[in-house]
Amino acid sequence: MSVGVLTRRPARGATALYGGRLWRPTPYQVFGFLFWLVMSLAYWRVPLCCDAGQHAAVVERLRADLFAPRHPTADLPGAGSPFYSPYAFAEGVFARLTGFDGREVLRVAGPVNLLVLLTGVGRFTRALTARPWAPVLALAALTLLWGTERVVWSGSLGLLPLTGTLGAPAVCAIGLTFWAWAWTATRARDDRAVRFVGPDGLRGFAGYVALGALYGLILLVHPIVAVSAVTGGVALVAGRQRGRCAGKALRWAATGCTALLTAAVWPYFDVLALVGDTRLDASYRRLYDGLAGHVWLALAAGLPALWLRARREGARDPLVLMFALDCLVVAYGWVSGRYAYGWTVGLALVPLQWAVAVELAAPRPWRTGRKVLAALAAGAACAGFLVVHAGAVVPRALDPVGFAQPPRPPAYDWAARHIGPGEVVIADGSRAARAIAGYGANLVAPVRPDPALGERERLRRVAEVRAYLAPDTTRAARAAVVRRHHVRWLLLTPRHAVPEEAVVVAWSRRTGEVLARVG
């Protein structure tokens, strides 16, 4: 026997210590880590904004009582509130273990949600293509290809909105949606024979059940995100699965049933009852106003890329189907007046953004059409960055031209230090009411509709607050409101005078608001 067969060639260089190849990070691992670091710092440098007060209030209630939390923003029972999702429950457990308050938990949740989102983006992109630079381009498209009108809501994943919404449950739900789509695409293109017996059959069936549980979790965390998650999943199955197989159909049916069962067994609220709830639709009407200005860059770069895919792959291309279904959902929201479905506009752009990323990740040489697409996408990304998103990552001290900065709403620490946990506040400003509840205070009249409180009762309380603040209301009538709702504090803007019986204890130099004690 020859010596060459018996001897093993020794490993040389840096790999000699391990006896194998040296690990090298992928382009997405490098750029994804840098993106996670920069955006986490950007999120921490700006004050909490938007609905952060509401989410912090939910954490505060769960920190006080995990299994029977009160209403998120009022001293009322909280049974039936959709804010008490598995995501919020995990935040409540974390708050109890660490002693963090609700606002501190949101600060921690931002980088965690971003990690879920980034890993989901990578998994979903790899399920569509093996091109190594595709996830990097998808992340760039996701955060830059929107529009030139500044809009901040938790469904927008642009650089600027993310600085204020990373701690929101919607970001985590969207990240889980990318994971669910990646898993769905992998199983839809699996052409192996379906087995129902033996270890392989049980493992395969368990995978579909686990996928259904993931969709059910998304439904509980954010029901509107779940609408886009389901339409995307249907598009991936219709576009990737070839042939007809009764076994596959039964497994997909098991996925759907598991999702519904997961949502049905959650004890805090009935998610299916939210389907007919129209109370929040009016607050989402603004998402349809100026819609073209919010998304035109994505349309300008994404529609040509999607057309190239449709021309090459046909109408059953998953991204083409996904975009068509998402457009139907958005259009339904406009036509029916169910404006809450307009929230899905952000996820409706995903097929366009991913079509651009996959096309531009193709190896060279490129044909003329792809070169034109590259120039168009680069121009759109630069326009979006310079007009809208640059202020998210360029500090004001280093800003040479005055980029639009993330919103910086006033903080209410100056008032919260005087208000004890659970004490009741009358606030005459929507911004103040949304924020102060996040410090553990209760409101007489919650700002947002919530199934835990009947809308008629909420509106009655709103009317009581307006009557209390009216200049012609008598002192006796104000005292009756204070006794009925156990009011302890007034948080008033300069629009209203402080009642004569109230004692001012603090005020804000920035906003002119005052905190006064009553009762």
Side-chain angles (χ1 to χ4, degrees):
M1 187 176 292
S2 66
V3 177
V5 175
L6 295 177
T7 60
R8 176 183 177 186
R9 179 176 296 177
R12 298 178 180 176
T15 59
L17 295 176
Y18 306 98
R21 295 178 59 188
L22 181 66
W23 174 79
R24 291 183 179 180
T26 65
Y28 185 66
Q29 288 170 341
V30 174
F31 286 96
F33 172 74
L34 293 176
F35 183 87
W36 178 86
L37 183 62
V38 170
M39 289 307 297
S40 295
L41 295 175
Y43 173 67
W44 285 335
R45 79 180 176 94
V46 299
L48 294 174
C49 75
C50 310
D51 290 332
Q54 178 84 23
H55 299 309
V58 171
V59 178
E60 286 291 322
R61 304 310 181 264
L62 286 167
R63 189 172 69 141
D65 192 335
L66 271 177
F67 300 104
R70 304 288 287 173
H71 187 282
T73 59
D75 188 16
L76 295 166
S81 175
F83 287 102
Y84 295 123
S85 67
Y87 174 89
F89 183 85
E91 287 187 318
V93 172
F94 179 78
R96 290 173 69 92
L97 292 176
T98 60
F100 289 179
D101 62 32
R103 296 170 63 82
E104 291 170 334
V105 170
L106 259 61
R107 288 299 193 187
V108 175
V112 176
N113 289 346
L114 183 57
L115 183 62
V116 175
L117 177 66
L118 290 174
T119 55
V121 167
R123 293 289 296 181
F124 176 54
T125 309
R126 285 195 295 272
L128 296 177
T129 179
R131 297 168 182 173
W133 283 94
V136 178
L137 296 175
L139 180 60
L142 179 66
T143 54
L144 295 176
L145 292 183
W146 290 82
T148 50
E149 293 291 332
R150 177 177 172 177
V151 59
V152 177
W153 92 97
S154 56
S156 174
L157 298 179
L159 287 180
L160 188 74
L162 280 178
T163 59
T165 61
L166 271 184
V171 177
C172 182
I174 293 173
L176 294 176
T177 296
F178 284 126
W179 275 94
W181 286 347
W183 201 350
T184 301
T186 301
R187 294 199 167 273
R189 72 184 179 205
D190 187 357
D191 296 329
R192 291 177 298 178
V194 176
R195 299 180 181 179
F196 291 95
V197 295
D200 291 340
L202 291 177
R203 280 196 298 270
F205 187 78
Y208 284 83
V209 171
L211 179 58
L214 178 56
Y215 277 107
L217 177 62
I218 296 169
L219 178 60
L220 288 170
V221 173
H222 203 290
I224 301 179
V225 172
V227 174
S228 290
V230 170
T231 56
V234 170
L236 288 166
V237 173
R240 283 298 181 93
Q241 189 162 296
R242 295 291 183 262
R244 298 180 179 180
C245 177
K248 276 289 186 73
L250 289 175
R251 290 188 172 186
W252 288 123
T255 299
C257 291
T258 304
L260 294 176
L261 181 61
T262 301
V265 300
W266 185 247
Y268 288 87
F269 64 93
D270 182 5
V271 68
L272 300 180
L274 301 177
V275 175
D277 194 338
T278 61
R279 289 178 292 179
L280 287 176
D281 287 329
S283 62
Y284 289 103
R285 174 67 174 80
R286 63 183 179 85
L287 294 179
Y288 285 96
D289 296 333
L291 182 60
H294 301 155
V295 302
W296 75 272
L297 290 177
L299 294 175
L303 286 177
L306 208 61
W307 178 79
L308 290 175
R309 289 183 65 89
R311 184 180 179 184
R312 184 173 59 249
E313 305 291 340
R316 285 191 63 179
D317 179 79
L319 294 181
V320 174
L321 291 175
M322 190 182 296
F323 181 66
L325 293 177
D326 286 337
C327 286
L328 289 177
V329 172
V330 175
Y332 168 75
W334 171 256
V335 173
S336 66
R338 298 298 307 275
Y339 298 120
Y341 289 102
W343 196 98
T344 63
V345 166
L347 285 172
L349 300 182
V350 166
L352 301 176
Q353 295 159 340
W354 258 251
V356 172
V358 173
E359 289 297 320
L360 299 186
R364 296 186 181 186
W366 288 350
R367 293 184 177 181
T368 303
R370 189 164 285 156
K371 292 179 181 179
V372 172
L373 176 63
L376 185 62
C382 289
F385 180 77
L386 294 175
V387 175
V388 180
H389 302 292
V393 293
V394 179
R396 191 175 304 224
L398 303 178
D399 186 351
V401 296
F403 294 122
Q405 292 290 316
R408 291 178 176 271
Y412 287 86
D413 304 76
W414 60 271
R417 68 171 60 99
H418 300 281
I419 303 173
E423 292 185 336
V424 181
V425 180
I426 285 180
D428 68 342
S430 173
R431 182 177 59 193
R434 291 173 183 270
I436 201 65
Y439 293 91
N442 284 313
L443 302 173
V444 172
V447 177
R448 291 174 60 109
D450 192 312
L453 176 64
E455 187 63 5
R456 182 176 299 178
E457 172 64 16
R458 190 185 74 86
L459 294 177
R460 186 187 68 79
R461 286 168 169 259
V462 171
E464 281 191 285
V465 170
R466 289 174 179 169
Y468 181 94
L469 297 172
D472 57 347
T473 302
T474 64
R475 181 169 181 171
R478 290 195 298 266
V481 174
V482 169
R483 288 193 302 270
R484 187 179 308 119
H485 298 291
H486 309 287
V487 180
R488 179 65 173 166
W489 301 97
L490 305 177
L491 184 55
L492 304 179
T493 63
R495 296 197 309 268
H496 292 98
V498 178
E500 57 182 344
E501 67 272 17
V503 178
V504 175
V505 297
W507 70 288
S508 169
R509 292 181 180 273
R510 177 179 175 183
T511 64
E513 293 170 298
V514 298
L515 178 70
R517 185 174 62 246
V518 296

